[in-house]
Amino acid sequence: MTNFVQLILNLLIFPGGLFAVALGLFLMGIDRKIAARLQRRVGPPVYQPFIDLVKLTRKEMVVPGTAHLQAFWLAPLLGFAGMMAAVTLIPIAGVYQGFKYSGDLLVLLYLLALPAIALMIGGSASSSPFGAVGFSREMVMMMSYELPLLVVLVTIALKVGLATGGIATFSLSEIVQFQLENGALLFDYTMLPALLAFLVFIPGNMGVVPFDIPEAETEIVEGPILEYSGTGLALFKLMTSLKMIVVLGLAIALFFPTPLGKNFLVNLLWFFLKCLVLMVIAITIVRTSTGRVRMDQAFKFYLRYPTVLALISLVLTLLQR
Amino acid sequence: MSTYTIPVGPLHVALEEPMYFRVQVEGETVVGLDITAGYVHRGMESLVMQRNIYQNITLTERLCSLCSNNHPCTYCMALEKIAGIEVPERAQYLRVIADEIKRIASNLFNAGILAHIIGFDSLFMHVMEIREIVQDTKETIYGNRMDLAVNCIGGVRYDLSDEKIKYIRKQIDRLKKPLEEIIDIYMNNKFVRARTEGVGVLPKEEAVRYGVVGPVARGSGIDYDVRVKSPYAAYDKIKVNVHVENGSDVRARAIVRLREIQEAVNIIELCLKELPDGPTCIDHLPEIPAGEAIAKSEAPRGELIYYLRTNGSDKPERLKWRVPTYMNWEALNVMMPGNKVADIPLIITSIDPCISCTER
């Protein structure tokens, strides 16, 4: 019974639920502020995402007359719920263990696909032509960034699995445990290409410039989420901020989970710092220094560079054995 | 693959003004285009005939925001032709200065919007920051950031003191270095190039067939500029280097606009150097006899033509103008097909459409 209560608490309060939402929104606020300073603007206050969220939840949600009602409602809920579940799978070294379940990395991989699928469902259910274009773009985008991600995950699973005597381990907690004992993978030269591939995967998955193609504001007016307002839009925003925590947290768990000490709060702060640095590198700087690429260009890019980088790591790992 | 229609407009984030494009799309490729106009029709052609000749100077200035100086300037030129008024030389130079300052602001604005549309918001902010120098200059010299209210019949309504000349020189100098930088970015930045090169191609033959004007024509290799072909104001005394690009695509048009900014900077410097002494305006309110005249000028978007007929009364009998966008937007039918949906707003922006003066 305590296990069950613990699970619910993990899901709703910490590290999922309230905590993750607050952290995600806060990180987004910082991201906006830094981006603004980089563009020599003043920028909104750091708490702006919270204000936006409260404002959106108090607004009416308008459903287009031609939309498929159930699917239109289902999409944001699906995306949000999927990300809520995903956050609980992310271990924070020295703070939170994650699930001691041998396949949580695979579950996470599937859960990570949910936001894109939710956007696709929402886009096509909204019956707007922009939503339809957004649908197809989201799908192509997903296909392009999922492959390098998969190769990176397999590489790390193999690396840890081979080192611990098995073949491959798809357990995040084991991967973290391995790194706590043998040093972070960040400092392993064979993993550097994989790390680079993962860094390139982050802006694609987060849908920021230059890979915000499915939601390109000036091209297809936000695409799938064009018709969303009020609560639906708020859920999508929450989904994005949670996704940020999941993606950044996953990167930290995979490459640099090392805690700072034994103190719970210090470790939590350390995790936040790592998230912040990673976000600035992989999201804020990238999105302020580039322009949006076209779908075909993005697809070619992802098949070419990150996939090759990830494969190099895979080969190096296998050779090292 | 099935064909479907994407509505771009009448209100669309990427369009500055209301304009309705129904774009037929196959997959992600544009196959056809249907332009619907008339969302900002204000009946101005009728309005000018109900107001007197002097009031119309103010009215024509409010036709459009970005090329607001060219309209009253061309209108005054048409009136001066009918009445046979000789504009003082100093006024002609001052008209050129006002014209070129507006050109810099307009072209920088378009360059900024291009960056915004390809999602390069940092570049957009940077360009707008540079444009602010020009806006400050306008505000200081003319008292306004958009409508300069420079022209009157037989001259201009402002004069430049030595102090003001020094100020403009200083501001123009401040423009030069950042201009070099952004031209380098627009020409060489990978992301800008990837999105603008080979997009929205308008071959030279088609450009001639559609009779496009301004930077759109010059981006397609047509060496046509009213300032050179039929000089007005002081342009006959000033050498204007017309920049022509042969790329025929969005990039070529953007580069033509940016190079024109550099040229405008040179022209202003030259004008300030050679500014003759004398009156800035004729010393009486002229009588306008019955007659008709055509006047042309080079607006930031291309050739602007005014036709004016008067009947000796204080109201014009007919005033008709042909604006550059009217010639350019039909060419979208050639530029669009074959491009991706992602490029639609980009191509529309590349002709720098000014809907409010086209639909007046």
Side-chain angles (χ1 to χ4, degrees):
Chain A
M1 195 62 202
T2 45
N3 246 343
F4 185 72
V5 172
Q6 173 108 37
L7 195 69
I8 295 293
L9 280 181
N10 282 345
L11 194 65
L12 293 181
I13 312 247
F14 182 87
L18 278 179
F19 171 75
V21 166
L23 183 63
L25 290 177
F26 186 51
L27 276 176
M28 285 209 146
I30 297 178
D31 166 60
R32 282 175 71 174
K33 193 77 186 174
I34 295 177
R37 296 311 300 166
L38 286 174
Q39 295 173 341
R40 299 173 82 176
R41 289 185 284 125
V42 177
V46 176
Y47 51 85
Q48 186 66 41
F50 294 93
I51 303 177
D52 287 348
L53 196 71
V54 172
K55 179 199 73 180
L56 281 175
T57 48
R58 291 173 64 172
K59 280 192 168 180
E60 184 194 2
M61 182 169 162
V62 182
V63 182
T66 45
H68 188 285
L69 188 67
Q70 284 85 3
F72 193 76
W73 261 108
L74 179 74
L77 285 173
L78 185 72
F80 175 67
M83 282 298 104
M84 283 278 272
V87 178
T88 53
L89 292 179
I90 303 284
I92 306 171
V95 176
Y96 173 68
Q97 289 269 303
F99 279 103
K100 288 248 160 72
Y101 165 65
S102 62
D104 54 357
L105 196 56
L106 290 177
V107 176
L108 199 62
L109 185 67
Y110 279 105
L111 284 178
L112 259 180
L114 265 184
I117 291 172
L119 282 174
M120 282 191 241
I121 296 175
S124 53
S126 69
S127 82
S128 136
F130 294 110
V133 178
F135 171 90
S136 74
R137 288 180 174 201
E138 191 72 63
M139 196 143 74
V140 178
M141 203 61 218
M142 201 172 125
M143 284 197 278
S144 34
Y145 64 64
E146 288 278 280
L147 182 62
L149 172 70
L150 193 68
V151 181
V152 169
L153 293 187
V154 168
T155 308
I156 289 172
L158 265 178
K159 170 107 189 163
V160 175
L162 291 175
T164 49
I167 297 170
T169 167
F170 282 99
S171 160
L172 251 185
S173 47
E174 263 176 56
I175 291 173
V176 170
Q177 197 55 42
F178 170 80
Q179 292 184 71
L180 293 187
E181 284 159 14
N182 301 307
L185 288 177
L186 176 68
F187 305 113
D188 189 334
Y189 74 94
T190 57
M191 284 297 127
L192 269 183
L195 175 65
L196 283 178
F198 200 93
L199 283 181
V200 179
F201 152 80
I202 293 176
N205 185 274
M206 284 306 298
V208 295
V209 181
F211 302 115
D212 66 335
I213 308 159
E215 288 164 31
E217 189 208 350
T218 47
E219 290 166 12
I220 52 169
V221 256
E222 304 287 357
I225 58 170
L226 168 64
E227 296 293 345
Y228 279 95
S229 53
T231 318
L233 188 58
L235 281 175
F236 270 130
K237 299 249 177 224
L238 274 177
M239 178 189 90
T240 316
S241 64
L242 282 174
K243 188 163 79 174
M244 180 140 89
I245 300 295
V246 172
V247 173
L248 296 179
L250 179 63
I252 289 165
L254 288 180
F255 292 101
F256 190 46
T258 323
L260 208 54
K262 289 213 160 19
N263 191 313
F264 176 87
L265 269 178
V266 171
N267 281 335
L268 197 60
L269 212 61
W270 179 233
F271 174 76
F272 171 72
L273 256 181
K274 283 191 277 191
C275 276
L276 188 64
V277 171
L278 189 61
M279 180 192 74
V280 172
I281 294 173
I283 296 178
T284 316
I285 292 182
V286 170
R287 83 185 175 98
T288 45
S289 57
T290 57
R292 188 184 308 117
V293 292
R294 245 193 338 253
M295 194 68 254
D296 48 325
Q297 294 162 343
F299 189 65
K300 271 183 209 144
F301 171 82
Y302 268 108
L303 282 196
R304 216 170 279 163
Y305 303 103
T307 313
V308 168
L309 280 172
L311 283 174
I312 290 175
S313 260
L314 185 65
V315 171
L316 281 176
T317 310
L318 289 175
L319 283 182
Q320 227 183 14
R321 196 176 167 230
Chain B
M1 220 180 271
S2 64
T3 311
Y4 59 100
T5 308
I6 291 186
V8 179
L11 296 169
H12 187 278
V13 263
L15 300 176
E16 296 146 40
E17 289 169 276
M19 180 78 186
Y20 188 24
F21 300 92
R22 287 163 57 86
V23 188
Q24 273 94 50
V25 177
E26 210 176 85
E28 272 246 359
T29 311
V30 179
V31 289
L33 177 71
D34 186 15
I35 305 171
T36 313
Y39 288 90
V40 275
H41 178 70
R42 290 155 293 165
M44 281 189 128
E45 280 192 17
S46 165
L47 204 57
V48 275
M49 289 187 280
Q50 293 159 33
R51 301 191 172 206
N52 74 33
I53 281 160
Y54 300 98
Q55 288 172 324
N56 280 338
I57 299 173
T58 314
L59 184 65
T60 48
E61 183 132 28
R62 275 138 188 89
L63 260 175
C64 164
S65 59
L66 284 168
C67 36
S68 65
N69 188 55
N70 283 84
H71 285 277
C73 180
T74 321
Y75 170 71
C76 288
M77 284 184 331
L79 278 172
E80 285 150 11
K81 245 186 199 171
I82 292 173
I85 298 164
E86 198 63 40
V87 180
E89 213 178 332
R90 188 177 173 88
Q92 291 184 345
Y93 274 86
L94 291 176
R95 274 186 184 175
V96 169
I97 292 171
D99 206 17
E100 295 299 327
I101 284 184
K102 281 295 283 187
R103 193 184 312 281
I104 297 174
S106 173
N107 285 0
L108 275 178
F109 187 74
N110 181 258
I113 293 294
L114 185 144
H116 173 60
I117 282 177
I118 61 171
F120 206 152
D121 278 337
S122 302
L123 182 57
F124 167 69
M125 298 291 169
H126 186 49
V127 172
M128 284 315 220
E129 202 183 347
I130 300 167
R131 185 172 179 264
E132 204 54 33
I133 301 174
V134 191
Q135 296 293 85
D136 279 348
T137 315
K138 285 198 267 183
E139 196 173 2
T140 312
I141 304 294
Y142 307 99
N144 272 325
R145 283 165 66 89
M146 282 317 277
D147 293 343
L148 306 184
V150 158
N151 296 279
C152 63
I153 302 168
V156 290
R157 293 177 51 206
Y158 79 111
D159 199 4
L160 291 178
S161 61
D162 286 344
E163 199 186 358
K164 279 181 174 171
I165 289 176
K166 233 172 100 185
Y167 174 77
I168 297 182
R169 279 224 177 91
K170 198 188 84 201
Q171 293 288 83
I172 291 291
D173 276 337
R174 274 177 67 200
L175 268 180
K176 282 179 183 168
K177 213 179 136 242
L179 263 182
E180 288 286 335
E181 279 170 21
I182 60 163
I183 288 179
D184 179 58
I185 294 173
Y186 277 91
M187 286 182 79
N188 301 323
N189 184 288
K190 265 191 183 167
F191 289 91
V192 179
R193 271 191 89 150
R195 288 301 303 274
T196 54
E197 216 166 11
V199 170
V201 176
L202 179 70
K204 193 173 175 180
E205 315 81 71
E206 292 289 330
V208 172
R209 199 164 73 84
Y210 277 93
V212 294
V213 291
V216 181
R218 293 194 282 279
S220 288
I222 301 171
D223 185 0
Y224 183 79
D225 191 317
V226 181
R227 292 177 292 175
V228 176
K229 297 284 177 190
S230 73
Y232 57 97
Y235 284 114
D236 50 346
K237 298 162 201 108
I238 295 160
K239 192 179 171 332
V240 180
N241 296 314
V242 180
H243 192 85
V244 178
E245 284 278 327
N246 289 316
S248 311
D249 51 8
V250 173
R251 178 169 178 257
R253 275 165 244 155
I255 291 172
V256 165
R257 287 202 181 89
L258 290 165
R259 290 286 181 209
E260 265 170 30
I261 302 174
Q262 283 189 315
E263 186 54 28
V265 168
N266 293 338
I267 293 172
I268 294 174
E269 279 192 331
L270 206 66
C271 281
L272 290 176
K273 209 173 88 190
E274 293 180 358
L275 193 64
D277 286 330
T280 56
C281 187
I282 53 170
D283 51 3
H284 59 282
L285 274 184
E287 289 274 323
I288 308 294
E292 57 181 349
I294 285 177
K296 302 201 261 188
S297 73
E298 180 78 17
R301 289 161 180 75
E303 183 184 41
L304 173 70
I305 303 177
Y306 263 65
Y307 166 78
L308 174 66
R309 191 162 77 215
T310 51
N311 54 6
S313 74
D314 63 342
K315 285 174 187 160
E317 196 171 271
R318 181 80 174 98
L319 178 58
K320 173 151 178 67
W321 52 97
R322 199 204 71 189
V323 297
T325 307
Y326 181 70
M327 300 309 289
N328 289 343
W329 75 16
E330 282 297 325
L332 285 175
N333 284 315
V334 180
M335 297 179 196
M336 286 279 194
N339 285 291
K340 302 279 177 235
V341 171
D343 297 325
I344 296 170
L346 193 60
I347 297 170
I348 295 174
T349 308
S350 79
I351 68 160
D352 202 356
C354 179
I355 313 298
S356 63
C357 51
T358 314
E359 296 179 351
R360 50 233 182 203

